[in-house]
Amino acid sequence: MIIYEYLSELFGSPVLASVIQSLFPLIFLIPFALFAVWLERKVSAFMQDRIGPNRVGKHGWLQTVADILKLIQKEDITAANADKPLFNIAPVLVFAGSYLAFAAIPFSSAYIGSSIDLGLLFIVAASGFVVAGILMGGWASNNKYSLLGAVRSAAQVVSYEIPTVLVILSVVMLTGSLSLYELSEMQTSSIHNWILFGGNAPLLQKILLIPFMFIGFIILYISSLAEVNRTPFDIPEAESELVAGFHTEYSGMKFAMFFLAEYANMFAVSAIVSAIFLGGYQSPFGYLGNTLGLTWLVPIEQFLWFSAKGLFFVFVQMWLRWTLPRLRVDQLMALCWKYLIPIAFVNLLIIGLIVLIKI
Amino acid sequence: MLTEFGKIFIFLLTAIIFVIVGILTAKLVRPARPSKEKLLTYECGEDAVGSPWVKFNIRFYVVALIFLIFDVEVVMLIPWVMVYKELGLAGYIIGGIFLVLLGIGMAYEWKKGDLEWARPTITPPKAFEKSEVNADNSALKS
């Protein structure tokens, strides 16, 4: 917000300012993806009592940089049977879909890509974009593994969209806003204002709300895991049966784009979960900048809190990945349709009733 | 002046341009020596067998249909959720009736077994085995 205004004053053109600010998430994402891939390999290694990458750089921290260099030099093969235009559009769509979500995520009170009122609805819609890309890639590859992976992925992502939206709606019932920026601004000052603890409702309402908010939080986290196709919901990419799922045929830079999109998505859902329930960029206690009287320090602190919360949830995703076994297709669908959706429905109605009672 | 959705459009353009630039940059560096074997469809090193458009489970379509119903319903709920506080208890009850109707529909689907994922049921062919054995025996006897 402030950054956008500053940039448009500096350049005298809102379009140029907007172009520059649309690059910020990218500048954040690329180092994040490099770090997260390394972290995932290290975390999995330590969980399995291995060492993990340790050759390139100290503790192997340059491993992913080396991987990227390798991927750039790798030959890009498009199978002769593949549908070339669709095959080439798919990585663009998948990355664009996951990047679009970042347009509505507030990184700090000074920066949000676009403060539309319908932020959360927009993010859900943008994740539909990813499904189109995945289906396109799987279908255009003309490969059995790809097609099966793509169809499974589509079925999974669309199914788990419903509990996600239901939980989002029950939060909106409390706050009356679909904008992530407003949601984050509401959860200001300290930990008891987080929506997980009832937001800034009156005290008695808060106490009634807390258990249902926890249920909502758990449902949202489970379904966000399924939306990014992470273990235990990774049947679209199940290595042991489908090679690599929808991106089996991709190599080189196109594969790297899918990989980047996957890690971008991981961070996006973590950021959304933390922005909805855990205060987004807000600090759980006060700001150092406020106590020292340095106002410019506050947005930087907020950005650090935001990335810390995001990274924490990304770490939990990795932790779950190397702890839980993969679910079967029927278990996956049963979990969504028979447990999460009915619970989310009842949760929505109960939260609505509690909010309505004036105490 | 740029609207908020204009900014989103610029985000979209940035993402598309980033991917295209990334792929084109790699094109400058990477080798391109395609051969017949490399261009084959990958199927664990063997020649691909049959059409890649395999039959897949009909349940995927059922899931897509049920999803469609629920998605439309969620879209209907969004305006209600935004304003129901102003409508008071009456508004809440109307929304509740809508949700209960959907719940009944879902219970019906559940009861009919549309939410079950088809699993192969293994029925050992006992009767068949028996008659086969009997036939063999009778053949031996005669």
Side-chain angles (χ1 to χ4, degrees):
Chain A
M1 298 287 256
I2 299 170
I3 289 181
Y4 173 73
E5 278 154 23
Y6 175 74
L7 282 175
S8 48
E9 263 180 42
L10 191 68
F11 295 106
S13 145
V15 176
L16 196 58
S18 180
V19 169
I20 288 168
Q21 78 154 0
S22 77
L23 289 172
F24 287 171
L26 205 59
I27 296 167
F28 174 75
L29 268 182
I30 292 170
F32 163 76
L34 291 178
F35 173 70
V37 174
W38 172 81
L39 185 72
E40 172 131 42
R41 294 176 70 174
K42 272 294 186 197
V43 166
S44 69
F46 287 135
M47 282 186 185
Q48 295 169 343
D49 209 3
R50 296 184 282 119
I51 298 170
N54 67 342
R55 290 300 153 103
V56 197
K58 208 172 166 72
H59 299 297
W61 69 277
L62 279 171
Q63 184 63 48
T64 36
V65 179
D67 284 346
I68 286 292
L69 287 178
K70 184 202 77 176
L71 278 173
I72 288 176
Q73 294 171 43
K74 225 163 166 98
E75 188 173 355
D76 195 351
I77 295 167
T78 312
N81 275 339
D83 189 327
K84 289 202 178 60
L86 289 185
F87 188 82
N88 291 332
I89 293 171
V92 179
L93 264 188
V94 170
F95 183 76
S98 49
Y99 193 67
L100 268 184
F102 283 91
I105 296 175
F107 278 69
S108 90
S109 62
Y111 176 78
I112 176 169
S114 158
S115 57
I116 43 172
D117 298 333
L118 290 171
L120 279 166
L121 190 63
F122 168 75
I123 287 169
V124 172
S127 72
F129 220 55
V130 180
V131 180
I134 287 175
L135 266 180
M136 204 180 259
W139 193 78
S141 296
N142 245 336
N143 180 325
K144 286 169 197 139
Y145 299 123
S146 302
L147 186 64
L148 268 176
V151 172
R152 281 183 185 184
S153 178
Q156 177 182 323
V157 174
V158 298
S159 302
Y160 278 86
E161 207 171 288
I162 295 166
T164 313
V165 179
L166 285 176
V167 172
I168 287 173
L169 288 185
S170 48
V171 170
V172 173
M173 281 184 137
L174 175 67
T175 59
S177 166
L178 272 168
S179 153
L180 274 179
Y181 184 75
E182 275 174 42
L183 278 183
S184 305
E185 282 292 291
M186 252 173 231
Q187 308 176 53
T188 178
S189 78
S190 74
I191 195 163
H192 59 79
N193 273 336
W194 288 0
I195 292 178
L196 188 60
F197 303 108
N200 33 22
L203 186 66
L204 199 61
Q205 227 175 47
K206 240 167 129 82
I207 294 165
L208 285 173
L209 274 174
I210 287 173
F212 300 105
M213 282 299 172
F214 267 87
I215 294 172
F217 173 71
I218 292 164
I219 293 175
L220 186 66
Y221 196 72
I222 292 174
S223 45
S224 75
L225 274 181
E227 289 226 2
V228 290
N229 298 333
R230 294 285 298 180
T231 327
F233 307 103
D234 72 336
I235 53 155
E237 295 174 26
E239 298 104 56
S240 43
E241 39 175 319
L242 287 182
V243 189
F246 65 91
H247 54 65
T248 305
E249 285 285 335
Y250 286 87
S251 59
M253 213 49 197
K254 285 175 200 153
F255 170 74
M257 287 302 164
F258 276 122
F259 216 62
L260 183 60
E262 190 189 324
Y263 278 84
N265 254 334
M266 272 168 72
F267 187 79
V269 292
S270 307
I272 293 161
V273 168
S274 75
I276 292 176
F277 280 110
L278 297 173
Y281 52 74
Q282 300 283 3
S283 144
F285 29 86
Y287 294 104
L288 198 66
N290 280 344
T291 32
L292 294 180
L294 305 167
T295 42
W296 53 268
L297 201 63
V298 175
I300 297 169
E301 272 182 71
Q302 284 173 337
F303 173 69
L304 291 178
W305 276 111
F306 175 80
S307 19
K309 283 174 193 171
L311 271 178
F312 172 73
F313 280 115
V314 169
F315 172 71
V316 175
Q317 285 180 357
M318 290 169 184
W319 187 357
L320 287 173
R321 172 167 179 184
W322 299 102
T323 308
L324 297 174
R326 183 181 302 139
L327 291 180
R328 270 199 326 260
V329 186
D330 62 317
Q331 290 169 331
L332 186 96
M333 290 299 164
L335 176 66
C336 177
W337 292 98
K338 293 186 181 169
Y339 297 96
L340 295 187
I341 291 180
I343 295 172
F345 257 128
V346 175
N347 206 26
L348 178 83
L349 283 174
I350 294 174
I351 289 178
L353 199 59
I354 294 173
V355 171
L356 212 58
I357 302 168
K358 290 192 181 66
I359 309 166
Chain B
M1 195 50 220
L2 201 61
T3 61
E4 296 298 322
F5 281 100
K7 290 183 198 167
I8 286 177
F9 183 64
I10 289 175
F11 259 82
L12 182 63
L13 288 184
T14 310
I16 291 171
I17 290 168
F18 171 73
V19 176
I20 291 170
V21 166
I23 289 171
L24 288 184
T25 323
K27 201 168 191 167
L28 297 175
V29 190
R30 64 162 206 245
R33 286 186 285 276
S35 68
K36 191 167 167 282
E37 281 76 26
K38 277 183 196 170
L39 293 181
L40 280 180
T41 302
Y42 177 74
E43 209 163 294
C44 299
E46 300 286 326
D47 283 348
V49 179
S51 164
W53 294 331
V54 289
K55 288 178 194 160
F56 43 82
N57 204 326
I58 187 79
R59 295 282 147 184
F60 286 114
Y61 294 106
V62 178
V63 165
L65 282 178
I66 302 175
F67 161 74
L68 211 60
I69 298 167
F70 276 87
D71 213 33
V72 170
E73 162 247 321
V74 159
V75 171
M76 300 266 284
L77 278 178
I78 289 171
W80 172 65
V81 160
M82 296 296 281
V83 297
Y84 91 109
K85 267 188 227 170
E86 289 145 38
L87 300 176
L89 198 61
Y92 176 77
I93 289 169
I94 290 168
I97 291 170
F98 177 64
L99 280 174
V100 166
L101 281 178
L102 266 157
I104 294 170
M106 184 150 174
Y108 175 70
E109 271 164 21
W110 195 333
K111 184 85 177 117
K112 264 198 84 188
D114 278 339
L115 300 182
E116 309 288 340
W117 201 262
R119 263 190 277 174
T121 44
I122 302 155
T123 44
K126 273 179 190 160
F128 180 72
E129 265 175 12
K130 230 177 186 177
S131 66
E132 197 86 317
V133 170
N134 287 345
D136 284 349
N137 286 346
S138 61
L140 281 173
K141 274 172 194 168
S142 61

